[in-house]
Structure formats: C-alpha cells, structure tokens
Amino acid sequence: ELFDALDRPAEAKEAFVRGHAYRRAVELCRRPGSNLQHEVVELEERWGDHLVEVKQVDAAINHFIEAGQSVKAIEAAMECRNWKKALEIVDAQAGGGGGGGTGQFQPYYRRIARHYEQAREYDQAERCFLRAGEAGEAVEMYCRADRWEAAHKVAVGYMTDAEAALLYTKRARELEANQRWKEA
C-alpha cells in the first residue's frame, strides 16, 4: 500500500503478489494510468495457481478462464467435481458444435461422459461420448444400462452397419457367457 501511495505501481504490484493479495494486484493493474494492464492475464493465472495450491480449486476456475487458460480451468472444474462447469468450458472451447469436438478436448468429453454415466444421466453422457467421437461407447453404456432402444438409436445414427453388427455380436457373446440367454 505504501508503494501504491507513492505512485510506484510496479513495486506495489510485486508486493501485493508476494503477499498473495492478488485481488489488490489485479485492481492496481487495471487502474487507468498504471501502465500495467498487460499484466492482468498473467496475474489471473498466478492467482488461479495459488488458489489450487491452497485447495480452493473451485475458486480458481474463473481466474483460469480470465487468463485464457481453458485447459487449467477444465482440469480445476473436474478436480472439484463441478462437472457442469467443466462441460460448459469444454463446449465453449471446442466450438460447442456437433459431433467430434476437437482432438484436444476429446479426452475431457470422454471423462465427463463417464461421470454422467455413473450418475445415470444417460442423455448427457451420450452427448459427451458422441462429441468425443465415441459412438460405440455410448452404445455400450446403454447396453450396460439395459436401454436397448437408446443403444439401437445411437448405433443406427452414428455407426456404420458393420460397426454396429460387431458391437451387437460382442455384447451378445458377453450376455451368453453370463447365461443371460433371453437378452443375448
């Protein structure tokens, strides 16, 4: 605060950062005339990293977003089990559009899909599997949940006939091995 009062913003910013007073440092950098506006992005990332260190991962998410660090934001959201937020960030970064997403975000879609499958939110899990380019996983999920009509819908809509036949044959053999003759 002394450096700030003496109109020495760079030294004030460094002192705030050393004391982990990131809010004050960011406010100082955003102040008109401080000539430190270009440092806001770096400070937001450092603030997010600090929050992760002190186990305030949920609070770090927005700072990573402000810093343009989408991968760190996604990982933080997943770490604190904020799956909805993680999916929002992945969708925004992957373009939010239909099938496949981008290669960089497929692993995140897959991981989020597995969460939604465990939570029995199958529609959301299906959407994530499809965006990950994993139609077969979506069909398998529906088979495990005994939702055959949904599995067939996904297989017909997103897989070739050969892929669907192979998947159905594999599933039938598994059911047969477990002596679930009727379902096989």
Side-chain angles (χ1 to χ4, degrees):
E1 290 179 12
L2 177 63
F3 288 126
D4 190 18
L6 293 173
D7 199 28
R8 292 164 59 182
E11 292 167 305
K13 180 201 68 127
E14 286 305 317
F16 286 138
V17 169
R18 278 194 305 274
H20 303 295
Y22 290 98
R23 180 181 320 276
R24 298 288 305 272
V26 168
E27 288 170 357
L28 176 71
C29 289
R30 286 188 174 146
R31 190 180 307 153
S34 71
N35 296 325
L36 297 173
Q37 288 85 359
H38 62 282
E39 295 189 31
V40 171
V41 172
E42 179 194 339
L43 279 174
E44 288 286 358
E45 183 178 3
R46 287 175 66 184
W47 193 354
D49 290 337
H50 172 71
L51 289 169
V52 168
E53 282 179 27
V54 297
K55 306 294 186 218
Q56 294 180 10
V57 183
D58 198 28
I61 297 168
N62 288 327
H63 296 290
F64 288 138
I65 292 170
E66 286 288 322
Q69 297 293 322
S70 57
V71 170
K72 283 186 173 183
I74 294 164
E75 304 240 347
M78 289 176 158
E79 187 176 327
C80 68
R81 306 216 181 281
N82 191 338
W83 299 100
K84 182 180 176 190
K85 185 71 169 181
L87 182 55
E88 286 173 9
I89 300 166
V90 173
D91 278 344
Q93 295 303 308
T102 62
Q104 177 185 2
F105 297 102
Q106 286 179 345
Y108 298 115
Y109 275 124
R110 212 173 291 119
R111 193 166 155 204
I112 294 168
R114 297 217 187 289
H115 160 75
Y116 281 121
E117 178 184 2
Q118 289 176 346
R120 293 192 169 113
E121 294 182 38
Y122 298 115
D123 291 338
Q124 193 71 289
E126 173 192 330
R127 184 169 83 76
C128 292
F129 277 130
L130 293 177
R131 289 197 176 173
E134 301 279 350
E137 284 292 323
V139 172
E140 290 269 351
M141 170 193 70
Y142 281 130
C143 290
R144 286 189 295 271
D146 292 329
R147 294 182 63 184
W148 302 104
E149 287 179 30
H152 181 69
K153 182 188 89 167
V154 172
V156 168
Y158 295 93
M159 299 174 78
T160 66
D161 291 342
E163 289 173 327
L166 185 66
L167 196 62
Y168 285 144
T169 304
K170 177 184 161 201
R171 184 66 181 161
R173 286 198 180 107
E174 289 172 6
L175 292 169
E176 187 179 42
N178 292 326
Q179 297 180 348
R180 294 169 65 186
W181 312 113
K182 182 180 174 187
E183 293 170 31

